[in-house]
Amino acid sequence: MKKINAYENTLAEIEALKKKLEALENDDELKKSLEFKKQLEALMKSYDVSSDELLNLLGGDKTPAKASASDKRRGARPLKVYKNPETGEVVETRGGNHKVLNAWKEQYGKETVESWLAA
């Protein structure tokens, strides 16, 4: 019975998709878009221009493919400078997972090390 239900549901989905496709095929806006795409591809082919070259030509190169560090939503973390008063050693970090800093926190305690933060 499960297979029969699955079969009937699939047929119903196919019929719904056919109706949706028919509605799209009768849409004038879609017809214009498809015709534009067809003509543009023919023009690109006749001038031997790729889609990447066309985008660059139209100014698409203003947005880089990969987001740089400055494009991230969250800004860069501030630089923190810790100076160990006993050894004079300086640690500069933007995150809290620094090897030397973690060793200091184990040895001297978190509060003590945080007091070494340079203003």
Side-chain angles (χ1 to χ4, degrees):
M1 280 306 238
K2 288 182 182 180
K3 285 190 177 186
I4 291 175
N5 287 339
Y7 176 77
E8 290 175 350
N9 288 340
T10 304
L11 283 178
E13 289 175 11
I14 290 172
E15 286 301 317
L17 287 173
K18 282 182 181 178
K19 288 179 183 178
K20 189 174 182 180
L21 180 62
E22 187 177 318
L24 285 172
E25 287 173 345
N26 293 330
D27 186 6
D28 290 334
E29 190 175 328
L30 177 64
K31 287 179 183 179
K32 282 183 180 180
S33 296
L34 290 173
E35 182 62 26
F36 175 76
K37 181 182 175 193
K38 181 180 172 184
Q39 289 179 4
L40 181 60
E41 287 173 345
L43 186 63
M44 287 169 50
K45 187 175 182 180
S46 70
Y47 282 95
D48 194 32
V49 174
S50 71
S51 58
D52 290 336
E53 291 171 330
L54 180 64
L55 286 175
N56 286 336
L57 181 67
L58 295 175
D61 58 345
K62 294 176 186 170
T63 56
K66 294 183 180 179
S68 66
S70 63
D71 291 340
K72 293 182 180 176
R73 291 186 182 261
R74 188 170 98 182
R77 292 181 179 179
L79 181 66
K80 293 183 178 181
V81 180
Y82 296 88
K83 183 174 182 181
N84 186 331
E86 294 180 13
T87 62
E89 188 177 2
V90 176
V91 170
E92 296 179 349
T93 181
R94 293 193 184 274
N97 199 15
H98 192 279
K99 190 176 184 179
V100 175
L101 191 60
N102 287 339
W104 286 353
K105 287 179 181 178
E106 268 187 44
Q107 184 178 358
Y108 300 105
K110 183 178 178 180
E111 293 174 8
T112 305
V113 173
E114 288 299 322
S115 70
W116 299 346
L117 185 60

